Amino acid sequence: MTNRERAMNILHFQPVDRFPAVHFGYWSELLEEWAEQGKIPKDLAVDNYDGSEKDRELDKLIGWDFNWSQTTGSRNGLFPAFEYKVLETLPDGTQRVQNNVGLIERVKPGVASIPSEDDYVLKDREAFETLYKPKMLYAPERVDVEYYKHFNETRPQDIPVGLHVGSLLGDIRNMVSVVGMSYLIYDEDEELFADIVDTYAEMQYQCVKTILETGAKFDFAHYWEDICFKNGPLIAPDLFDELCAKHYKKRNDLCHQYGIDIISLDCDGVTEKLLPTWFENGVNTMFPIEIGVWGDQFEAARNKFGKGMLGVGGMDKTAFRKDKAAVDEEIKRMQRLAGLGGFIPCPDHRIMPGSKFELVQYYAEEIKKIKV
């Protein structure tokens, strides 16, 4: 069987010859560590991204079958983006910058984590109408139609490939920050916020429609949201449902019309309270099922929603920082979850600095041996 056949069979509750060894990429700092330790060639630590030739070379070296994050899409964000510019350099070298979505951040030299949010541009209707709305409208230039007309012949045939269908709220949260989103919703203008969501969602729907009308075929559709944190959603679930449910349904119904029945969504944090909105409107696959300090969520979701809820992920990647016994415990847990059906084990996010190369190799080999 090909890895594409294995993955699609598992998610459709069909038999497979073995489970695929699947991952979701790495922190760049980890690849630098491994290169310094002599575990991987130094060139594989530079410009290594999901689905790249270097990513595939590293798969062979470690023993992975493939990186799950194999999606293609359109220019479905702000188009054109804002100019990235430095607004101010502080005495300690920290820079205040306006990024490509208009968010003003503080970027510290030598720090690789997410920058702190300092301010934002999208504060009122005037800013939306003059600065943002023109960048949120559909235009033919957003989709490379010629590329998709030949997609079926040129796409990888041995691994699953998804259509990235966008983000209803995660992108907007990136534009205004968590604080800014809260002010827009609760203190400023809830009607304005709904207009922002509706405008952005309609543009992305048109992008998806244009791609699918070319005849291009995909194994799954995929959203990125990141609208939760360790204690739950960043927005009230009832308001999230009011703003977003109709757009998920419209977009997912379109995917169904074109034969796409696996629709996944990437949201970190505790997603439990938003799962009903997603599941009831066509999203049926959790990914990457972040473990965090709150523990596994997939089994609880399966118990609540039944076999219609699928999963890819759920392996606690922190085990790679520990020892073989910790990895064995995760493999044992993955075997149990795989036994539920419709579940593909995968590290629960990008593999982090401090992970031991030999343990990742060991996991990739052993996960292929699990039986259900």
Side-chain angles (χ1 to χ4, degrees), residues 52-67:
S52 67
E53 184 176 341
K54 290 183 179 182
D55 189 35
R56 293 191 294 271
E57 282 298 312
L58 193 53
D59 284 351
K60 294 175 186 177
L61 193 59
I62 292 174
W64 296 119
D65 285 316
F66 64 96
N67 182 333

Side-chain angles (χ1 to χ4, degrees), residues 315-343:
M315 181 268 172
D316 185 355
K317 65 183 180 294
T318 63
F320 294 138
R321 285 178 155 182
K322 299 174 185 175
D323 52 30
K324 183 174 174 291
V327 175
D328 282 337
E329 281 300 309
E330 281 304 294
I331 293 171
K332 187 184 302 183
R333 196 169 63 83
M334 291 300 98
Q335 167 116 24
R336 180 174 60 78
L337 291 178
L340 300 175
F343 177 86

